[in-house]
Amino acid sequence: MNQAYIALGSNIEPRLEYLQLAIQRLKEHRSIQIKKVSGIYETAPVGFTDQNDFLNMAARIETTLSPPLELLDTCQEIEHSLGRKREIKWGGPRTIDLDILLYNQENIETERLTLPHPSMHERAFVLMPLMDINHHLYLSHIEKDVSTLISEMSLKEKEGVVQCNKIDGGKRIKAYRKLKGYTQIGFAKELGMSVSQLGDIERGKRVPTLETLEKISEQLDISIQELEPKK
Protein backbone atom coordinates (compact mmCIF):
# COMPACT_ATOMS: atom_id res chain seq x y z
CA MET A 1 0.00 0.00 0.00
CA ASN A 2 1.30 3.44 -0.96
CA GLN A 3 0.99 6.46 1.32
CA ALA A 4 0.27 9.90 -0.08
CA TYR A 5 -0.65 13.37 1.16
CA ILE A 6 -3.10 15.54 -0.77
CA ALA A 7 -3.84 19.25 -0.35
CA LEU A 8 -7.39 20.42 -1.07
CA GLY A 9 -8.63 23.94 -1.65
CA SER A 10 -11.71 25.83 -2.82
CA ASN A 11 -12.65 29.50 -3.21
CA ILE A 12 -15.93 29.30 -5.13
CA GLU A 13 -19.07 28.93 -3.03
CA PRO A 14 -20.16 26.67 -1.53
CA ARG A 15 -16.51 26.20 -0.56
CA LEU A 16 -17.08 23.85 2.35
CA GLU A 17 -19.41 21.65 0.34
CA TYR A 18 -16.84 21.31 -2.44
CA LEU A 19 -14.26 20.15 0.10
CA GLN A 20 -16.80 17.72 1.53
CA LEU A 21 -17.64 16.32 -1.90
CA ALA A 22 -13.98 15.92 -2.86
CA ILE A 23 -13.27 13.98 0.34
CA GLN A 24 -16.34 11.86 -0.33
CA ARG A 25 -15.18 11.06 -3.88
CA LEU A 26 -11.79 10.01 -2.54
CA LYS A 27 -13.50 7.81 0.07
CA GLU A 28 -15.66 6.16 -2.58
CA HIS A 29 -12.72 5.21 -4.79
CA ARG A 30 -12.03 1.49 -4.44
CA SER A 31 -8.25 2.00 -4.52
CA ILE A 32 -8.08 4.76 -1.90
CA GLN A 33 -8.44 4.76 1.87
CA ILE A 34 -8.52 8.07 3.74
CA LYS A 35 -6.54 7.66 6.95
CA LYS A 36 -6.68 11.18 8.39
CA VAL A 37 -7.84 14.68 7.45
CA SER A 38 -6.82 18.06 8.82
CA GLY A 39 -8.83 20.95 10.14
CA ILE A 40 -9.99 23.62 7.68
CA TYR A 41 -8.14 26.90 7.21
CA GLU A 42 -9.12 30.14 5.50
CA THR A 43 -6.39 31.72 3.40
CA ALA A 44 -6.01 34.88 1.36
CA PRO A 45 -5.20 34.12 -2.30
CA VAL A 46 -1.57 34.10 -3.39
CA GLY A 47 -0.37 35.37 -6.78
CA PHE A 48 -3.65 36.24 -8.48
CA THR A 49 -5.20 38.18 -5.58
CA ASP A 50 -8.37 39.50 -7.24
CA GLN A 51 -10.48 36.56 -6.08
CA ASN A 52 -12.18 35.16 -2.97
CA ASP A 53 -10.36 33.68 0.00
CA PHE A 54 -9.71 29.94 -0.02
CA LEU A 55 -10.65 27.18 2.34
CA ASN A 56 -7.74 24.75 2.57
CA MET A 57 -7.20 21.37 4.15
CA ALA A 58 -5.08 18.23 3.70
CA ALA A 59 -5.61 14.47 3.77
CA ARG A 60 -3.37 11.47 4.30
CA ILE A 61 -4.39 8.50 2.20
CA GLU A 62 -3.29 4.97 1.46
CA THR A 63 -3.72 3.78 -2.11
CA THR A 64 -2.96 0.94 -4.47
CA LEU A 65 -2.88 3.39 -7.37
CA SER A 66 0.58 3.14 -8.89
CA PRO A 67 2.47 4.80 -10.46
CA PRO A 68 1.63 8.22 -8.95
CA LEU A 69 0.27 9.41 -12.30
CA GLU A 70 -2.70 7.11 -11.71
CA LEU A 71 -3.43 9.00 -8.50
CA LEU A 72 -3.03 12.29 -10.38
CA ASP A 73 -5.54 11.10 -12.98
CA THR A 74 -8.01 10.28 -10.21
CA CYS A 75 -7.56 13.68 -8.55
CA GLN A 76 -8.10 15.46 -11.83
CA GLU A 77 -11.19 13.38 -12.56
CA ILE A 78 -12.61 14.49 -9.19
CA GLU A 79 -11.77 18.12 -9.98
CA HIS A 80 -13.49 17.85 -13.37
CA SER A 81 -16.57 16.19 -11.85
CA LEU A 82 -16.89 19.12 -9.42
CA GLY A 83 -16.72 21.76 -12.12
CA ARG A 84 -13.06 22.74 -11.95
CA LYS A 85 -12.13 25.07 -14.81
CA ARG A 86 -8.59 26.14 -15.62
CA GLU A 87 -9.31 29.54 -17.15
CA ILE A 88 -6.27 31.11 -15.46
CA LYS A 89 -3.14 28.99 -15.72
CA TRP A 90 -1.77 29.67 -12.23
CA GLY A 91 -3.71 30.51 -9.10
CA GLY A 92 -7.13 31.37 -10.50
CA PRO A 93 -10.49 30.74 -8.81
CA ARG A 94 -11.54 27.11 -8.56
CA THR A 95 -14.39 25.03 -7.23
CA ILE A 96 -11.88 22.47 -6.01
CA ASP A 97 -8.17 21.84 -6.24
CA LEU A 98 -6.46 18.55 -5.32
CA ASP A 99 -2.66 18.66 -5.27
CA ILE A 100 -0.55 15.58 -4.54
CA LEU A 101 2.12 16.71 -2.10
CA LEU A 102 3.95 13.48 -1.31
CA TYR A 103 3.85 9.91 -2.53
CA ASN A 104 5.95 7.48 -0.47
CA GLN A 105 8.66 10.16 -0.21
CA GLU A 106 9.42 9.40 -3.86
CA ASN A 107 11.18 11.94 -6.05
CA ILE A 108 9.42 12.24 -9.39
CA GLU A 109 9.71 14.80 -12.16
CA THR A 110 7.57 14.51 -15.27
CA GLU A 111 5.79 17.00 -17.49
CA ARG A 112 2.56 16.43 -15.54
CA LEU A 113 3.76 15.82 -12.00
CA THR A 114 6.65 16.79 -9.74
CA LEU A 115 7.00 15.14 -6.33
CA PRO A 116 7.47 16.18 -3.64
CA HIS A 117 5.35 19.18 -4.58
CA PRO A 118 8.01 21.79 -5.46
CA SER A 119 6.58 24.68 -3.44
CA MET A 120 4.83 22.91 -0.57
CA HIS A 121 7.54 23.85 1.94
CA GLU A 122 7.02 27.56 1.18
CA ARG A 123 3.26 27.66 1.71
CA ALA A 124 1.79 28.10 5.14
CA PHE A 125 -1.65 27.13 3.83
CA VAL A 126 -0.19 23.71 2.94
CA LEU A 127 2.06 23.19 5.96
CA MET A 128 -0.43 24.15 8.66
CA PRO A 129 -3.02 21.55 7.62
CA LEU A 130 -0.20 18.99 7.32
CA MET A 131 0.80 19.89 10.87
CA ASP A 132 -2.67 18.78 12.00
CA ILE A 133 -2.12 15.36 10.45
CA ASN A 134 1.53 14.71 11.32
CA HIS A 135 3.75 17.45 12.74
CA HIS A 136 6.75 15.10 12.48
CA LEU A 137 6.21 14.59 8.74
CA TYR A 138 9.68 14.68 7.21
CA LEU A 139 10.30 16.28 3.84
CA SER A 140 13.38 14.47 2.59
CA HIS A 141 13.97 16.81 -0.36
CA ILE A 142 14.71 19.70 2.01
CA GLU A 143 15.72 17.59 5.05
CA LYS A 144 13.28 19.23 7.47
CA ASP A 145 10.02 18.26 9.11
CA VAL A 146 6.76 20.21 8.94
CA SER A 147 6.96 21.65 12.45
CA THR A 148 10.46 23.01 11.81
CA LEU A 149 9.37 24.66 8.57
CA ILE A 150 6.42 26.35 10.26
CA SER A 151 8.61 27.58 13.11
CA GLU A 152 10.93 29.18 10.55
CA MET A 153 8.11 31.04 8.80
CA SER A 154 7.48 34.71 9.47
CA LEU A 155 4.57 35.75 11.66
CA LYS A 156 3.02 37.50 8.67
CA GLU A 157 3.00 34.28 6.64
CA LYS A 158 1.36 32.32 9.46
CA GLU A 159 -1.18 35.03 10.28
CA GLY A 160 -2.47 34.81 6.71
CA VAL A 161 -3.70 31.27 7.35
CA VAL A 162 -6.56 31.29 9.84
CA GLN A 163 -7.99 28.11 11.31
CA CYS A 164 -11.71 28.37 10.81
CA ASN A 165 -13.47 29.64 13.91
CA LYS A 166 -16.47 27.53 14.75
CA ILE A 167 -17.89 29.71 17.52
CA ASP A 168 -20.95 30.72 15.49
CA GLY A 169 -21.21 27.25 13.96
CA GLY A 170 -20.90 25.72 17.42
CA LYS A 171 -23.80 27.79 18.68
CA ARG A 172 -25.90 26.65 15.73
CA ILE A 173 -24.98 23.02 16.39
CA LYS A 174 -26.11 23.39 19.99
CA ALA A 175 -29.36 25.10 18.97
CA TYR A 176 -30.19 22.48 16.33
CA ARG A 177 -29.27 19.68 18.74
CA LYS A 178 -31.74 20.95 21.30
CA LEU A 179 -34.37 21.54 18.62
CA LYS A 180 -34.05 17.88 17.57
CA GLY A 181 -34.41 16.77 21.18
CA TYR A 182 -30.88 15.46 21.68
CA THR A 183 -29.20 15.69 25.06
CA GLN A 184 -25.51 16.51 24.91
CA ILE A 185 -24.70 13.00 26.19
CA GLY A 186 -26.95 11.33 23.61
CA PHE A 187 -25.68 13.44 20.71
CA ALA A 188 -22.03 12.86 21.65
CA LYS A 189 -22.74 9.13 21.62
CA GLU A 190 -24.29 9.37 18.13
CA LEU A 191 -21.18 11.18 16.90
CA GLY A 192 -18.79 8.73 18.54
CA MET A 193 -17.08 11.33 20.69
CA SER A 194 -16.90 12.29 24.36
CA VAL A 195 -19.24 14.83 25.94
CA SER A 196 -16.29 17.11 26.63
CA GLN A 197 -15.27 17.02 22.94
CA LEU A 198 -18.79 17.94 21.83
CA GLY A 199 -18.89 20.66 24.47
CA ASP A 200 -15.67 22.15 23.12
CA ILE A 201 -17.14 22.19 19.60
CA GLU A 202 -20.33 23.89 20.79
CA ARG A 203 -18.30 26.51 22.67
CA GLY A 204 -16.01 27.13 19.70
CA LYS A 205 -12.92 25.77 21.45
CA ARG A 206 -12.50 22.84 19.07
CA VAL A 207 -12.54 22.88 15.26
CA PRO A 208 -14.37 19.75 14.06
CA THR A 209 -12.90 17.66 11.27
CA LEU A 210 -14.75 17.36 7.99
CA GLU A 211 -15.86 13.84 8.96
CA THR A 212 -17.37 15.22 12.18
CA LEU A 213 -19.16 17.97 10.25
CA GLU A 214 -20.59 15.33 7.92
CA LYS A 215 -21.88 13.32 10.90
CA ILE A 216 -23.39 16.42 12.52
CA SER A 217 -25.05 17.41 9.24
CA GLU A 218 -26.51 13.92 8.84
CA GLN A 219 -27.70 13.53 12.43
CA LEU A 220 -29.31 16.97 12.59
CA ASP A 221 -30.64 16.80 9.03
CA ILE A 222 -29.25 20.23 8.14
CA SER A 223 -27.14 21.36 5.22
CA ILE A 224 -23.42 21.43 5.85
CA GLN A 225 -23.49 25.03 4.53
CA GLU A 226 -25.16 25.93 7.82
CA LEU A 227 -21.79 25.20 9.41
CA GLU A 228 -19.81 27.31 6.91
CA PRO A 229 -16.70 28.53 8.73
CA LYS A 230 -16.09 32.23 9.21
CA LYS A 231 -13.05 34.13 10.37
Side-chain angles (χ1 to χ4, degrees):
M1 192 74 78
N2 304 292
Q3 181 172 266
Y5 288 82
I6 297 175
L8 299 92
S10 172
N11 76 331
I12 294 177
E13 296 294 353
R15 300 174 300 170
L16 189 60
E17 185 172 338
Y18 281 125
L19 291 178
Q20 177 198 22
L21 289 170
I23 290 290
Q24 188 61 39
R25 302 284 167 87
L26 289 170
K27 282 182 180 178
E28 291 170 353
H29 197 286
R30 64 183 180 180
S31 299
I32 295 174
Q33 295 178 20
I34 293 184
K35 307 307 289 186
K36 193 170 184 180
V37 298
S38 71
I40 300 170
Y41 293 77
E42 192 158 33
T43 311
V46 176
F48 181 69
T49 57
D50 188 19
Q51 57 180 317
N52 297 330
D53 287 353
F54 282 84
L55 291 186
N56 294 104
M57 64 180 296
R60 177 170 67 85
I61 68 167
E62 289 184 355
T63 179
T64 56
L65 292 172
S66 180
L69 285 174
E70 288 191 12
L71 179 58
L72 176 63
D73 288 339
T74 298
C75 289
Q76 291 184 343
E77 285 168 8
I78 292 172
E79 290 177 341
H80 181 72
S81 72
L82 295 178
R84 169 72 188 269
K85 295 179 181 178
R86 300 176 186 273
E87 296 171 343
I88 297 175
K89 187 173 182 180
W90 300 111
R94 74 285 312 260
T95 54
I96 193 68
D97 188 24
L98 287 84
D99 283 335
I100 305 172
L101 304 174
L102 297 167
Y103 183 97
N104 290 338
Q105 295 287 359
E106 292 183 16
N107 291 287
I108 299 166
E109 189 165 354
T110 71
E111 189 173 315
R112 294 183 61 206
L113 181 65
T114 300
L115 293 174
H117 192 289
S119 56
M120 63 178 289
H121 61 286
E122 301 171 341
R123 296 175 173 176
F125 65 83
V126 171
L127 294 176
M128 291 175 75
L130 284 177
M131 182 89 161
D132 287 352
I133 296 173
N134 181 3
H135 63 278
H136 294 305
L137 181 62
Y138 187 71
L139 307 186
S140 59
H141 63 303
I142 55 171
E143 300 183 339
K144 292 181 180 180
D145 63 22
V146 169
S147 58
T148 300
L149 287 166
I150 290 177
S151 70
E152 293 175 350
M153 283 187 161
S154 69
L155 183 60
K156 182 178 180 180
E157 288 177 295
K158 289 183 279 192
E159 284 180 340
V161 182
V162 181
Q163 191 164 24
C164 292
N165 186 337
K166 287 293 179 181
I167 292 177
D168 290 342
K171 288 178 180 178
R172 286 197 295 275
I173 290 169
K174 184 177 181 179
Y176 277 113
R177 170 177 65 76
K178 289 185 173 182
L179 185 65
K180 297 288 184 178
Y182 281 106
T183 65
Q184 194 175 56
I185 293 173
F187 195 49
K189 185 176 180 180
E190 292 288 340
L191 297 176
M193 63 173 57
S194 69
V195 174
S196 63
Q197 288 173 325
L198 176 58
D200 284 346
I201 289 173
E202 292 185 343
R203 289 190 296 274
K205 292 184 177 181
R206 174 187 290 265
V207 178
T209 65
L210 198 60
E211 288 98 333
T212 299
L213 287 175
E214 289 173 355
K215 289 180 182 178
I216 291 170
S217 173
E218 182 180 350
Q219 291 295 329
L220 297 179
D221 192 27
I222 58 173
S223 167
I224 200 165
Q225 287 107 308
E226 287 290 324
L227 309 175
E228 176 72 25
K230 303 180 187 299
K231 284 185 179 179

